[in-house]
Amino acid sequence: MKLAVVGVTGLVGRKMLEVLDAYGFTVDELIPVASARSAGQKVEYMGASYTIVEPEQALNLKPDLALFSAGGDVSKHWAPRFAEVGCKVIDNSSAWRMHNDIKLVVPEVNANVLGADDMIIANPNCSTIQMVMALAPLHSKYKIKRLVISTYQSITGTGKDAVDQMNNERKGIAANKVYPHKIDQNCLPHCDEFLDNGYTKEEMKLVNETRKILSDQTIGITATAVRVPVTGGHAESINVTFHNDFDIAEIRELLNNETGMVVEDDPFNNVYPMPINSHERDEVFVGRLRRDESLPNTLNLWIVADNLRKGAATNAVQIAMHLKQKGWL
Ligand code: 2RA
């Protein structure tokens, strides 16, 4: 197996290598791919050293599988070209997620949609992945009518430069600003670009991707995505109205029984999910389960996960492992 990791020098690309190693994903050859700026540099994987190449050179090496996390423009241009030479692509960018013929997959939720012929597979947005992990079993049981979502997203989701800005601000260094405003000791209701409807692309990802993954275009969804000076993961406050009533104890059991989910919900003993605890973990943590007493059939919950792991790298690696287990690689 020849495996390419495209965007290998970025926060997610580096995390992909960590997770692939941790999951024992053995390869005959690793093909680390980045821009000309990084070409020639060395990358270590499973005790061997590999030289970073540019996408064109990687294509000529005919990889069997490529994990992409290099931005939408790179995926838009290169993913089809890798697929044309028989390389399966798992793409972490937003480029292909809403394309009709492209599967958008969280393995624990909808791996069943995958087939042997899928050559480009989209990894959902981090804030979508952690949310649908918790909502999918509840949707199956009680059928979701409407979602009101507020996210508190780690600065790591913006990338290394934004993390550097936050750390510089903490040291009193006002250099290399990525954001138009201070990040540290601030909350920015601005994740990705603003659209004509007043929402950001990040907020519309939650709307559109959730409906696609849950295969239900009737779900009403509104979202506010906020960037916070935190590095352990994304947190989300979800208010969900179902078509049918529910029992809190049954909800807790449903979530507890889900692979990859951890219920942390004992608020009187200060037990609830926090990004500081989700950091470097692959599970999705859920807590603060409580009925919304202002509206029938409505539940509040709090969801936390490491956006670089289950929100990106781990989900992509889990898709790759699924393809391998099916013999499609
Ligand atoms: C963010 N969801 O957090 C995106 C991933 N880069 O900005």
Side-chain angles (χ1 to χ4, degrees), residues 214-259:
L214 298 181
S215 300
D216 189 337
Q217 294 301 319
T218 70
I219 300 175
I221 305 175
T222 187
T224 302
V226 179
R227 189 70 65 194
V228 293
V230 159
T231 53
H234 289 349
E236 297 168 340
S237 172
I238 313 290
N239 178 273
V240 47
T241 299
F242 299 104
H243 285 281
N244 303 296
D245 199 6
F246 57 85
D247 171 80
I248 283 276
E250 186 176 65
I251 286 206
R252 197 184 306 279
E253 188 183 354
L254 276 172
L255 292 171
N256 251 327
N257 293 339
E258 281 301 304
T259 304

Side-chain angles (χ1 to χ4, degrees), residues 125-127 153-154 156-158 191-192 202 205 227 234 307:
N125 193 40
C126 37
S127 46
Q153 300 189 208
S154 166
T156 57
T158 309
C191 297
D192 210 328
E202 190 75 2
K205 289 172 192 172
R227 189 70 65 194
H234 289 349
N307 55 295

